[in-house]
Amino acid sequence: MEQRENVLGGDAAEENQATRLPRRTTDPRDRAAILVERAPGNPGHSLTLAGVPEQAAVLRRRLASAAALPPRSAELVQELASELFNNAVTHSRSGCKDGEVAVTLHRLRGRVQVRVTDQGPRAPGAATPHLRPLDTSAESGRGLRLVAAQASRWGTLHEDGRTTVWFELDRRPARGRGSRPGSAVGG
């Protein structure tokens, strides 16, 4: 196997990583500190993807089915998770050769929580994910701004050299239970 990888070389090796299938994961280091509570009988969904931009499409498809939300809300989960996945690939060791990104989705009482965990910064002392000042002429730098504007809550967690950026979307209470129009995502 090792010889074959060496024979493949540049483009073929990159293509192999891009087509590597995601796998369901359960990470014993996946702490529940940002969950607050678990919904009964719902352990959540977790998968690990190769740290290449092409895997964002796979992530979106998998999240759409796992989220169990109305279409508009599922699209928002997909969009925000894709932004965080692409940030992880661009700015962390997850985007290096053989890098991986873990994505976890939890359906909780009244909300959905998504965590995107990368393999840590590429360089020692690199900045924590944060909102950048808005620069309308820049081609990048809007991903976290989008998450901050659309998510009900979001934040970062650093543990064991890894960085997790998470967000939550509130789900609307069932009709007749005091829902306020436009106050939350459907669910």
Side-chain angles (χ1 to χ4, degrees):
M1 180 72 169
E2 193 171 311
Q3 276 185 321
R4 184 174 180 195
E5 287 178 24
N6 291 336
V7 171
L8 288 175
D11 292 338
E14 289 174 18
E15 184 178 315
N16 185 31
Q17 181 157 338
T19 58
R20 192 169 70 203
L21 295 175
R23 64 187 190 282
R24 292 188 81 162
T25 56
T26 48
D27 186 346
R29 297 174 298 173
D30 191 13
R31 306 276 188 240
I34 56 178
L35 281 179
V36 181
E37 94 284 339
R38 288 194 186 275
N42 178 16
H45 301 274
S46 183
L47 71 146
T48 300
L49 301 129
V52 293
E54 295 82 7
Q55 291 292 304
V58 174
L59 171 63
R60 286 190 297 273
R61 283 192 306 273
R62 298 290 287 270
L63 284 178
S65 61
L69 293 169
R72 192 167 170 205
S73 300
E75 288 172 14
L76 184 56
V77 166
Q78 292 171 307
E79 181 180 2
L80 299 182
S82 289
E83 286 292 338
L84 297 181
F85 176 83
N86 287 322
N87 282 353
V89 169
T90 302
H91 301 292
S92 78
R93 289 192 320 262
S94 291
C96 297
K97 185 179 183 309
D98 296 326
E100 295 181 328
V101 179
V103 180
T104 306
L105 178 136
H106 291 278
R107 290 179 305 222
L108 304 167
R109 238 177 275 138
R111 66 193 193 283
V112 172
Q113 183 182 93
V114 176
R115 299 184 229 168
V116 178
T117 303
D118 64 43
Q119 294 176 308
R122 289 184 187 214
T128 295
H130 63 283
L131 292 176
R132 295 182 186 175
L134 183 59
D135 180 356
T136 56
S137 63
E139 291 184 22
S140 64
R142 294 184 187 87
L144 278 182
R145 205 168 269 290
L146 179 65
V147 172
Q150 297 291 324
S152 304
R153 284 162 295 288
W154 75 280
T156 60
L157 178 69
H158 303 279
E159 187 173 53
D160 297 331
R162 302 176 307 159
T163 302
T164 299
V165 182
W166 60 273
F167 68 89
E168 290 184 344
L169 296 176
D170 290 336
R171 293 189 277 172
R172 223 179 295 147
R175 289 194 179 150
R177 291 190 193 171
S179 63
R180 294 178 294 145
S183 65
V185 209

